[in-house]
């Protein structure tokens, strides 16, 4: 990927990652290794957490389409290689933000919830993961995400 062209976002706006899309990979070990490295990278690149979570869900049987999404993440990282998380002095208040994407998983119809927690202006914790049960409404999905973020703040 050294000669790949950088891109401006980790995933295409119209991309939906689904389980049965594309041809299965003949050697999935390299895909799993790549995804493991991307998981490690989310500690300093929280903006890729959502899309890395998406490609992690198919590690048991990855396809060529999943590999294309993973390679796009690498192209995005190449374009922002000089960016990172900086910690600065300032206020010491703790505050957080949460959001949910209702029924975003096309396979299970489960929602994806996420939150980020700040200490002053510094991001100290973030999470993005599929909720454990199917929400009946977008409001229910939002409340579950809010409850998870409130528990983390406490």
């Amino acid at each position: 990927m050294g000669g790949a062209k950088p891109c401006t976002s980790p995933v295409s706006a119209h991309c939906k990652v689904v389980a049965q899309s594309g041809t299965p990979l003949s050697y999935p070990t390299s895909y799993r290794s790549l995804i493991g490295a991307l998981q490690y990278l989310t500690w300093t690149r929280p903006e890729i957490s959502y899309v890395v979570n998406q490609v992690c869900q198919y590690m048991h049987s990855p396809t060529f389409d999943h590999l294309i999404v993973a390679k796009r993440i690498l192209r995005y990282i190449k374009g922002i290689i000089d960016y990172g998380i900086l910690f600065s002095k300032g206020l010491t208040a703790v505050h957080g933000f949460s959001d949910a994407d209702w029924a975003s998983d096309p396979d299970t119809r489960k929602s994806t919830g996420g939150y980020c927690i700040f200490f002053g202006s510094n991001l100290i914790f973030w999470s993005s993961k599929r909720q454990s049960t199917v929400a009946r409404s977008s409001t229910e999905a939002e409340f579950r995400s809010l409850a998870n973020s409130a528990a983390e703040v406490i």
Side-chain angles (χ1 to χ4, degrees):
M1 297 293 298
K5 181 180 172 187
C7 60
T8 59
S9 66
V11 68
S12 168
H14 304 292
C15 178
K16 269 293 190 195
V17 182
V18 293
Q20 302 301 325
S21 65
T23 312
L25 294 175
S26 58
Y27 188 68
T29 304
S30 60
Y31 175 84
R32 293 178 184 130
S33 176
L34 169 62
I35 300 307
L38 288 172
Q39 281 182 309
Y40 183 75
L41 190 60
T42 62
W43 284 101
T44 57
R45 306 290 183 168
E47 75 275 17
I48 66 169
S49 295
Y50 176 78
V51 71
V52 170
N53 175 292
Q54 292 293 304
V55 293
C56 282
Q57 294 175 19
Y58 306 107
M59 288 178 60
H60 61 283
S61 59
T63 66
F64 187 70
D65 289 353
H66 301 141
L67 182 61
I68 290 172
V69 174
K71 285 185 177 182
R72 180 172 174 114
I73 300 169
L74 291 177
R75 290 179 42 225
Y76 170 73
I77 295 300
K78 184 177 181 180
I80 61 159
I81 198 75
D82 294 328
Y83 297 171
I85 295 177
L86 301 174
F87 293 98
S88 59
K89 295 179 183 177
L91 299 173
T92 58
V94 175
H95 57 279
F97 302 93
S98 69
D99 195 14
D101 189 5
W102 180 50
S104 58
D105 188 339
D107 297 322
T108 64
R109 305 304 297 163
K110 291 183 179 178
S111 304
T112 300
Y115 55 91
C116 54
I117 310 297
F118 289 84
F119 182 69
S121 62
N122 302 309
L123 179 66
I124 58 170
F125 191 81
W126 59 91
S127 175
S128 174
K129 64 181 182 177
R130 190 177 347 164
Q131 294 178 351
S132 58
T133 59
V134 176
R136 293 182 180 168
S137 67
S138 60
T139 305
E140 183 180 346
E142 294 283 350
F143 276 126
R144 288 176 194 228
S145 183
L146 181 62
N148 288 337
S149 62
E152 187 61 39
V153 168
I154 290 170

